[in-house]
Amino acid sequence: MIAGFKQRILEGKPLCIRGAGSKDFYGNPPQGEILDTRTHSGIVAYEPTELYVTAKCGTPIAEIEAALAAQGQFLAFEPPRFSPDSTVGGAVAAGLSGPRRVSAGALRDFVLGVKLLDGAARELTFGGQVMKNVAGYDVSRVIAGSLGTLGLITEVSLKVLPQPVADATLRFEMAQAVALDKLNRWAGRPLPIVASAWQNDVLTIRLAGARAAVEAAKLKVGVGETADGTCWDVLRNQTADFFKTETLWRLSVPSTAPELKLPGEQLIEWGGALRWLKSDAPAEMIRAAAAAVGGSATLYRASAELKAQVDAFAPLPAPLMALHQNLKAAFDPQGIFNPGRLYKEF
Amino acid sequence: MTTRSHSHERDQDFSDVDRAALLQALAAVLPAAALLADHEDLKPYECDGLSAYRRVPLAVALPEDEAQVVGVLKACHRLGVPVVARGAGTGLSGGALPNEHGVVLSLAKMKRILKLDPYSRTAVVQPGVRNLAISEAAAPHGLYYAPDPSSQLACTIGGNIAENSGGVHCLKYGLTVHNVLRVRGVTMAGEIVEFGSAALDSPGYDLLALLIGSEGLLAVVTEVTVKLVPKPEVARVIMASFDAVTKAGAAVADIIAAGIIPAGLEMMDKAATRAVEPFVKAGYDLNAEAILLAESDGTPEEVEEEIAAMRAVLEKSGASEIRVSTDDAERLRFWAGRKAAFPAVGSISPDYYCMDGTIPRKRLAEMLMAIAEMEKKYGLRCVNVFHAGDGNLHPLILYDANVPGQLERTEAFGAEILALTVQLGGTITGEHGVGFEKIGSMCVQFASDELAAFHRVKAAFDPQGLLNPDKAIPTLHRCAEFGRMHVHQGQLSHPELERF
Ligand SMILES: Cc1cc2nc3c(=O)[nH]c(=O)nc-3n(C[C@H](O)[C@H](O)[C@H](O)COP(=O)(O)OP(=O)(O)OC[C@H]3O[C@@H](n4cnc5c(N)ncnc54)[C@H](O)[C@@H]3O)c2cc1C
């Protein structure tokens, strides 16, 4: 498989690296000839007591999660599964994390190592399988979220964790401003709140951890209505009705940012730090609102016409863009991998 | 103007640096009190926590603000002078070792906490702020900064960023990289760049992650936004004795297999407990071959549940004695020996050399056995403390620098341990960094393609290679030399091993 990948790279034509294609919508429109990673699939190693799993890039996330579940473990960053075939390589390249990100950490926090083919088809190995490793630059974490622009990920090692013993979901009727305040106050106390979602004046929170901790926390957060936990998977996989829209913005802001007065409907995750916005307001207006509170706005889903006009990701200051271009050139000087997918400039 | 360029082939030669021109340029951008150039003033900066290596720099700059940092970097960039950033100098890999033709840029004067916001659970601090000072300032709000290196009283957040430092609680709470939101830094060319933001995700490449652990080679850190987390209501620690290190090693895996991630999971061998006990009077079981410290924190109910679960696992794993701290004073006493292990060892031996590899947990016992063999081979004693929960070893090799040949034997002993960490599927450094010290061992862990890629990353930030040169990433020339050396001396046990 690797030999086939190398050959494609050495042909020197722009390549669109693609797993199941479930994230084709994400980033700027894909360009180049498709290189399908799914031919390189399978779990290479999984050692529950070492808390890691190593898998080839084309391995479905679902396959990995099934193997972990059999041992009572899970991927705590909850990568969204947009399709049953979504691959681990695609998940790492996109760098997206699910509802639990606010407590467990992001995908990049769980990346222990990667194997990569660079623009000259060299096989490079960074990081490894151990939890603590500071030998050499932490290239693996940079690969997370790089949207395949730095190289073809062929293998990844991820940290895994035991599933929490107890789990509870509570629901409260609450206006947005009140919910944001509550979430930030709760986060300053030692409470096992692992995820949250606010929409249409309803705040839902998820408690997880030791049984005693979850029971004690239920009393501390106040009387809410107990709900069933299936809503979290719906949220994670973005299959809820809210996400069925043509134009969707993803605003990453400080959790304490006040209610953003933007036209359209909002869904708020991560204790206030992630605000989804369904809106046809002009891009400049949305980007300015996010920047004003110290965050940024991504045009997450949009029609081809809109994507052609508006960059998916917020613009970078010039010195930071220069570093991006230098780093891109360090791994892919010919600009073969996913050209323009992250920024038009490279 | 000197034009230089960073190369992955050979280390650069800076012997043509013009001292007079340098001092003049620095004097133009720094107040008089912020520039040291007399030999006796420079002496204290000749080494960091790894005192076996020393070099006196040409000058030390002690900027008071970011504008002065920019001024120093621009001047050195223009003149082609190497710069080494320095925090508290507690590093253990020679990362802050000066270049004899260069400038030490000390961030010690930039030590203000600029903002501490309990509502957003963040603090914005200057690079010279001490790790513990952040937690102390946050304490009235029931918050703290989680990474707790044993050196936290002295080490700075800038140094922590450079080394991606961890502590005894990082198994549950993460390393520096997991607890920092944003870093403001200055590149060698004097350009100010913001990495990350006050939000959880930022657009573009995760250069924040790249900067953390980059050992001061990519940018000088001038401001940091850290996350603060709520202090757990209670914490209790179990101290378990084992009559064999193999059993203690297996117990670590058993705890994880039981679905428990303790707040801390540390191990000390008999040599370590015997070394520290007179020092801290922690009440360690001195007959045990190894002891484990396993901490649980959280709500009282949660801790009770977890302590009971861990006790059951440890009993099943064959612990010969189990004690659980009954109050916080006792808990801190149990920890005291572990936290003071390095200085305690310093009191029983004229010198010690602290190693820092990580291996898969399941190979702990194997590693300890191999180290015991090496003690015989090199005729030197070794005391072992581990961040067992994450497989991070700190073997402390005892030696006397005044006995001719002992330092060399110690280095060879250390290099053999590091080569074994790689062979066992681990890494040559878990948290102390490669620095100057482990540059040769990098050639064991990485093949030349990866090393060349690291050099290209370096050049993306610092094309002239002026920021902390000859550290962290070996040139190919150095690896060739290292290869010749270890084949020649036959010191590495497995020279036939593939590098990976
Ligand atoms: C007794 C003892 C116990 C220790 N325990 C631990 C432990 O438990 N865990 C652990 O991880 N480490 C430990 N260490 C190692 C050390 O304390 C850490 O590596 C620490 O982060 C170094 O901080 P410092 O301020 O002293 O940095 P320095 O030693 O001054 O510098 C370290 C590196 O950081 C760079 N640097 C410093 N400041 C900046 C800046 N502002 N911008 C860019 N680069 C910078 C330097 O160039 C150098 O490469 C211990 C050390 C000692 C002596």
Side-chain angles (χ1 to χ4, degrees), chain B residues 85 87-92 95 149-151 155-156 159-160 162-163 165-166 215-216 221 431:
Chain B
T90 67
L92 290 172
S150 306
S151 53
C155 66
T156 68
N160 292 175
E163 305 291 7
S165 301
E215 306 199 28
V221 176
E431 58 181 14

Side-chain angles (χ1 to χ4, degrees), chain A residues 250-321:
Chain A
R250 180 182 186 275
L251 280 67
S252 175
V253 297
S255 64
T256 50
E259 183 169 352
L260 298 173
K261 305 275 188 208
L262 286 164
E265 209 185 315
Q266 292 188 33
L267 187 157
I268 301 179
E269 288 189 67
W270 299 359
L274 181 64
R275 310 208 183 169
W276 297 99
L277 172 69
K278 276 201 296 205
S279 177
D280 292 319
E284 304 76 52
M285 179 184 182
I286 294 170
R287 290 228 149 107
V293 294
S296 65
T298 298
L299 180 56
Y300 189 74
R301 279 183 194 274
S303 64
E305 294 91 311
L306 189 55
K307 282 257 167 139
Q309 292 161 25
V310 178
D311 290 337
F313 300 102
L316 301 176
L320 197 55
M321 177 51 86

